[in-house]
Each structure stands twice: as C-alpha cells, then as structure tokens.
Amino acid sequence: MSHEPIQTVGQQYRRRSWAEPYKIKMVEPIRMMSRPEREAAMREAGYNTFLLKSEEVYIDLLTDSGTSAMSDWQWAGMMLGDEAYAGSKNFYNLEAAVRKHYTHRHVIPTHQGRGAEHLLSQIMIKPGDVVPGNMYFTTTRFHQEHAGASFVDVIIDEAHDPAVILPFKGNVDLAKLERVLTENPGKVPYVCLAATVNMAGGQPVSMANARAVKELCSRHHVPVMCDATRAVENAYFIQQREDGYKDKPVDEILREFCSLTDGATMSGKKDPLVNIGGWLSVNDDKIAEQARNLVVVYEGLHTYGGMAGRDMEAMARGIEEAVQDDHIRARIGQVEYLGELLQDWGIPIVLPVGGHAIYLDARRFYPEMPQTSFPAQTLAAELYLDSGVRAMERGIVSAGRNQKTGDHYYPKLEMVRLTLPRRVYTQAHMDVVAESVQAVYQNPNKPAGMKMVYEPEALRFFQARFEPL
C-alpha cells in the first residue's frame, strides 16, 4: 500500500489509491429507517444520541470504544480462553504484550479504561491535590475530582482554537506545567499526559514534548502517567510529522514514547482492537502492590480484573495487530479521507484532522446559537435526523459542571465528534456521512437549539435528556 505520488501523462502527479489491509469475512446487516421513524426515535431518546437503540442507527460513529472489528486471529484466540479464576494463561500473554509494546513492568487488568482511572486516582490522589493534564477527558477528570483533586489544564493555548493548524496540537505548555508544579509543592501526585488528546480533536503529542515533560517532572519528583488509549495513533503521527522518525516503525516509536512515562491507564477498547477490557500499568513496585490489592475489591482478581480469559487473549493479540504499520496507516487514512471530503466542501471542522475522529465545529454551524442552547447537542440530533448517522456531543454538555459552584463549564471548543470504529466501515460509508454533514450544514432552516429537561448528577452527557427550543 502506498501513499506516494505516481507519474502520469504530461508529468502530472496524483496520489495513488490505497485499500484497507484486510478483506471482509463476515458482515452485519444494517438499514436506514425512514425520516418519520428517525424523528420518533429521536424524541424517545430525549434528543441524546447515547439513548438511541443501536438498531435505530444506520452508521454508528458515536465512539471507537469497543466498536472495532476483530480479526480471524483474535477470534481464534477467543477459543483458547483459559477461564481459570486465578492465574489464567491469557493474563500472562496480555502482560507480556503490554510489557513489550508499552514498556511498563507491572500490569493490572481492569474491565475497561475507567476502571484503571479509578484505581490510579484512589491510590495516588489525596484531597486537596492538583492534577495537571493536557486537556481534560470526561471520565478521567471525574475520577480525579471524586478522589478530591482539582484538574488544571496545561495544554498549549492553540489546542483550544479549532482553526489553528499545528502538527502537535496536543503538546503540554511547559511554562504552564512548571508553574503548577512550583506553586503546588507536594500536592501534585502525577501529571496526566494524554496521547492523543481526545477533547482537542484527537491531536497528538510530539516525542520532544513528552521528553521535556518527563525531564521537568523528574526535577520536581513527580511521575508522568500516560492516558495511552490511543498512543499507537500518537506514535503514527510522530512517524509522519516529527523529524527523525520517518523511517522508524510505529511499534518502536510507541516503546520510546511510553518509556518517557512512569505508567499508563488504558482502555483496550480503542487501539488494542477489542470490545471490552483495559489495564493499569506502572513501573513503581509500591503502586503496583496497592493496585493489585484494590483491583480485587472493585474489579476482580489481579490476574483477570473483570475480564474473561478469552477477552484477555483477544486483547493480547489485538495489541500485536494494532502496532503494525499497514493497519494504523489505513485506520488513520480513513479518518483523513472523511476529513478531506468535508474540507473540500467548506465544512468547518477541527484542524488538523486527528487520529480517531472528525470533529465538527458546532459554533460555526450555528453562529447565532448561544452555548447555553447546546449547539453541539443540537447538531448531533440534526445529523441523525438527516441520515441515521449517530455522532457524539463534545461541548458544554460533556464539560459538565463545576462541583464547587454548580456552574456549567464553558469549553472553548463546541464540537460534534464523528468517531470511526476500526475495521468496520468502508469508504462508501464515509461518503454517505460526508454528504449528510453537508446537507445539515447547508440547510437554511437552522434549529433554535435545545433545553436540558433531565440532568444526571455525574457524566451527564451519557443520560441527559433534551427538548428542542
């Protein structure tokens, strides 16, 4: 597979076509419901795409979490599940794969990524602590705040501007980070380094920035914990964009990046190509011992952590497949394909295109709509009504409320995320999505927005209900 230009008649150049590095062996039928059916489904779901039934969805771009298609090799591994309660051989296969590619010594399995976030927060955070990170993520910040800490955003300012184009828009602002470390001695349990940065549009962190963060934190005796959910995608961007890495394979870049961290929380439902599972990996012996003790209380024994043996085997094999250059090139290539279509048609999206999703800029879709009328929530609903495509709000609803004041957080980015599952859809599906986005953007009858009629106490974007204004 090549992305290189080829010479054609008249010395003109074009990019050569490429295809996914797999062939389809099994299919799942889908259907688009009629417009009246979609309208009824949207009303029943309270205009929240999370509350739609999957059978009501035509193309599901809600999330890439647990929605990937597994390979024949992974399915074969499922038949080798060792379901022993303790000491499953599949755990040791998973442990070996994590150590090989993510470098950390100790591996504590969990049922998914937020289980790892919970363990880390309960072990390392005490009330009054401050946790710096390169932009918040919803569940990560919740666990940090639930344990008594305050989150401080130390990402570069450009990450909050959807129109700014930088190769590594997820980078930590070192001056911001040093200020937090200096002003809070003894109160920073760790720095959370996300790679890539989901809420910024799937933006990567450079190797140089990760190394500088590690050096700064070492001077202050503060560990660096990586949100490694999409670290393979981050490694691909380093290969493509950072000097000195063009000829290095993605798996080698991933190991180098992770070696600059002291541990990681991981949702295996993303990069590792499985439908459930995760882990907490650390180098520190004491933290590992505490995690093994705590995982028994909340997740399961330290050699299964809420997963079946077959799930651990599928994840161990998925880790090996995820770092293959052909796979990650095609995975991100499909995201780029959708992004290029939308850019060609003048659709406002977050730039540059990130690794796992296209982020529509809802503010520019509805420039007259106040943020308190939930532009991104409105846009996600309109997209479903147009075509049956399910997307996710990533704006004021996802940002939630300040636990102390009760006020909304007002993020600068008000986005709708079109998240591409791995190895699931074809380019034809992407064409349908792009045409639907274009239709909604060009529709002269702009909606007035939404009002929230039910708000859960925590992580409201999952279950909140709305009505059109």
Side-chain angles (χ1 to χ4, degrees):
M1 182 169 59
S2 174
H3 290 281
E4 298 300 318
I6 59 172
Q7 194 170 13
T8 57
V9 177
Q11 303 298 310
Q12 298 296 314
Y13 288 85
R14 62 176 174 85
R15 192 170 77 168
R16 186 162 185 166
S17 298
W18 59 273
E20 291 81 356
Y22 53 82
K23 57 184 180 180
I24 297 169
K25 187 175 289 189
M26 182 175 68
V27 298
E28 175 185 346
I30 57 175
R31 63 175 284 263
M32 184 192 294
M33 299 194 308
S34 67
R35 175 77 187 214
E37 288 176 314
R38 296 197 300 273
E39 290 172 349
M42 195 82 271
R43 285 193 299 269
E44 181 66 23
Y47 294 87
N48 185 344
T49 53
F50 273 97
L51 301 180
L52 290 166
K53 298 174 183 176
S54 65
E55 62 189 15
E56 297 168 337
V57 175
Y58 180 49
I59 299 175
D60 200 345
L61 306 185
L62 184 74
T63 180
D64 62 334
S65 180
T67 57
S68 299
M70 293 201 301
S71 69
D72 53 358
W73 189 50
Q74 286 178 287
W75 279 108
M78 294 278 280
M79 298 298 103
L80 301 175
D82 174 7
E83 305 307 340
Y85 187 86
S88 165
K89 67 181 180 182
N90 308 120
F91 165 73
Y92 296 105
N93 292 341
L94 173 61
E95 180 183 57
V98 174
R99 286 176 172 173
K100 174 183 175 182
H101 293 291
Y102 293 85
T103 74
H104 305 127
R105 295 172 53 232
H106 302 285
V107 181
I108 298 89
T110 59
H111 76 285
Q112 61 184 75
R114 69 195 62 171
E117 292 171 347
H118 174 67
L119 294 180
L120 181 66
S121 299
Q122 292 298 310
I123 292 166
M124 297 192 71
I125 291 174
K126 61 182 183 298
D129 279 350
V130 174
V131 181
N134 53 339
M135 200 173 284
Y136 82 98
F137 183 68
T138 51
T139 59
T140 311
R141 188 178 68 188
F142 173 83
H143 285 298
Q144 292 165 352
E145 292 178 345
H146 189 65
S150 299
F151 170 78
V152 180
D153 189 359
V154 293
I155 202 168
I156 58 174
D157 289 340
E158 292 86 348
H160 295 281
D161 187 337
V164 171
I165 299 178
L166 291 174
F168 294 101
K169 216 169 167 181
N171 278 355
V172 170
D173 185 315
L174 298 173
K176 289 182 184 178
L177 177 58
E178 185 159 28
R179 185 161 55 249
V180 174
L181 295 171
T182 302
E183 293 176 355
N184 298 277
K187 291 189 175 183
V188 180
Y190 61 91
V191 170
C192 184
L193 181 67
T196 59
V197 183
N198 189 349
M199 302 300 283
Q203 302 299 327
V205 177
S206 72
M207 191 74 77
N209 188 250
R211 185 170 290 107
V213 168
K214 178 59 177 173
E215 291 171 354
L216 175 58
C217 289
S218 295
R219 292 200 299 271
H220 288 266
H221 307 288
V222 171
V224 177
M225 305 302 293
C226 182
D227 177 349
T229 297
R230 299 180 181 87
V232 180
E233 294 178 6
N234 198 93
Y236 174 80
F237 283 122
I238 290 173
Q239 182 194 65
Q240 298 297 307
R241 299 178 183 178
E242 191 162 359
D243 291 342
Y245 290 92
K246 181 180 180 181
D247 298 322
K248 292 187 177 182
V250 165
D251 63 338
E252 182 180 330
I253 298 170
L254 176 66
R255 284 192 294 271
E256 181 179 344
F257 190 92
C258 291
S259 72
L260 300 172
T261 67
D262 299 286
T265 57
M266 182 65 167
S267 171
K269 298 165 69 176
K270 281 83 169 180
D271 275 349
L273 298 166
V274 290
N275 308 122
I276 199 68
W279 71 76
L280 170 65
S281 57
V282 294
N283 288 328
D284 186 276
D285 295 341
K286 184 177 179 181
I287 295 174
E289 181 181 1
Q290 291 177 285
R292 291 190 185 101
N293 289 332
L294 203 58
V295 75
V296 175
V297 177
Y298 292 107
E299 299 278 331
L301 200 67
H302 63 281
T303 54
Y304 76 88
M307 282 186 286
R310 57 183 174 268
D311 296 323
M312 290 189 286
E313 185 64 31
M315 194 188 307
R317 296 182 179 211
I319 290 170
E320 296 292 344
E321 292 183 345
V323 298
Q324 295 171 4
D325 284 67
D326 280 351
H327 159 73
I328 195 64
R329 187 184 302 115
R331 189 280 186 281
I332 294 180
Q334 190 175 57
V335 181
E336 291 174 338
Y337 174 82
L338 177 57
E340 288 170 1
L341 282 179
L342 296 177
Q343 288 181 79
D344 288 346
W345 297 343
I347 309 296
I349 66 174
V350 174
L351 297 174
V353 171
H356 66 289
I358 298 299
Y359 289 71
L360 306 177
D361 186 354
R363 289 181 186 272
R364 285 188 280 171
F365 269 72
Y366 306 127
E368 306 301 322
M369 188 183 297
Q371 200 167 14
T372 49
S373 295
F374 309 114
Q377 192 73 39
T378 302
L379 177 54
E382 290 294 311
L383 189 62
Y384 173 77
L385 291 173
D386 178 77
S387 63
V389 172
R390 176 159 65 170
M392 179 194 291
E393 186 271 357
R394 277 297 183 229
I396 188 173
V397 181
S398 294
R401 293 185 185 271
N402 185 300
Q403 290 188 346
K404 295 179 181 178
T405 67
D407 295 332
H408 291 297
Y409 287 115
Y410 290 91
K412 293 181 180 179
L413 296 174
E414 185 73 18
M415 306 176 295
V416 167
R417 191 180 76 177
L418 305 171
T419 329
L420 275 60
R422 296 160 183 81
R423 306 191 296 203
V424 171
Y425 293 117
T426 66
Q427 307 295 60
H429 290 103
M430 297 303 100
D431 292 339
V432 171
V433 172
E435 290 167 8
S436 179
V437 171
Q438 183 186 44
V440 171
Y441 181 61
Q442 295 180 346
N443 186 355
N445 299 316
K446 303 298 183 186
M450 301 276 186
K451 63 178 179 179
M452 192 183 300
V453 296
Y454 168 68
E455 180 176 358
E457 183 177 343
L459 299 173
R460 63 187 185 181
F461 62 94
F462 283 126
Q463 300 180 71
R465 301 183 75 87
F466 303 83
E467 289 179 357
L469 293 174

